[in-house]
């Protein structure tokens, strides 16, 4: 099955930006709908947004207008551009194939703090 590796997290001040990457192991990535998720301490994992094989996107209300998901099928990578970050965006961020319950990667930590 497709394996995924997230990267790009870090510590950022409120109002700042980060871009996360998620690299897939197989070229089948190009036909898959991908999801970005996050899990804050003590909370359940939640969906941030999705991107279809042709680039159509959907976002959670909490990130709409601040986050942008994109993909580069040739590089087998999806990206999460996060702008105007808030403290409540602090979480471990994951990507996964939309609808898949297993195959989670290690995630990448995003901490928004002054």
């Amino acid at each position: 099955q497709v394996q995924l590796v997230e990267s790009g997290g870090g510590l950022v001040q409120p109002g700042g930006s980060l871009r996360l990457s998620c690299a897939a192991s197989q070229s089948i990535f190009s036909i898959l709908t991908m999801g970005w998720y996050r899990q804050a301490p003590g909370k359940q994992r939640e969906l941030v947004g999705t991107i279809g094989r042709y680039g159509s996107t959907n976002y959670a209300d909490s990130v709409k207008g601040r986050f942008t998901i994109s993909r580069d099928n040739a590089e087998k990578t999806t990206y999460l551009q996060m702008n105007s970050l808030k403290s409540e965006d602090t979480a471990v961020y994951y990507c996964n194939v939309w609808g898949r319950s297993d195959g989670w990667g290690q995630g990448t930590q995003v901490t928004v703090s002054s």
Side-chain angles (χ1 to χ4, degrees):
Q1 70 177 359
V2 176
Q3 295 182 324
L4 303 161
V5 178
E6 302 92 345
S7 62
L11 173 64
V12 63
Q13 292 186 342
S17 298
L18 276 177
R19 189 176 83 151
L20 308 183
S21 300
C22 169
S25 61
Q26 299 181 28
S27 59
I28 193 174
F29 167 86
S30 66
I31 66 169
L32 298 173
T33 293
M34 299 298 297
W36 278 96
Y37 304 80
R38 66 187 181 185
Q39 187 166 19
K43 295 188 176 181
Q44 289 190 331
R45 187 176 291 159
E46 64 175 357
L47 177 67
V48 172
T50 62
I51 184 165
R53 62 183 292 188
Y54 298 119
S56 60
T57 54
N58 287 285
Y59 300 94
D61 287 344
S62 59
V63 307
K64 206 171 290 185
R66 300 187 298 122
F67 290 10
T68 302
I69 299 173
S70 60
R71 68 191 298 160
D72 183 335
N73 287 337
E75 294 296 323
K76 297 178 290 185
T77 301
T78 179
Y79 302 96
L80 178 65
Q81 176 68 44
M82 305 185 294
N83 299 328
S84 302
L85 282 161
K86 306 175 181 179
S87 58
E88 51 262 45
D89 296 318
T90 295
V92 179
Y93 283 72
Y94 303 86
C95 68
N96 206 348
V97 179
W98 171 247
R100 189 170 77 170
S101 58
D102 60 358
W104 295 94
Q106 83 287 352
T108 186
Q109 175 71 48
V110 172
T111 302
V112 184
S113 175
S114 56

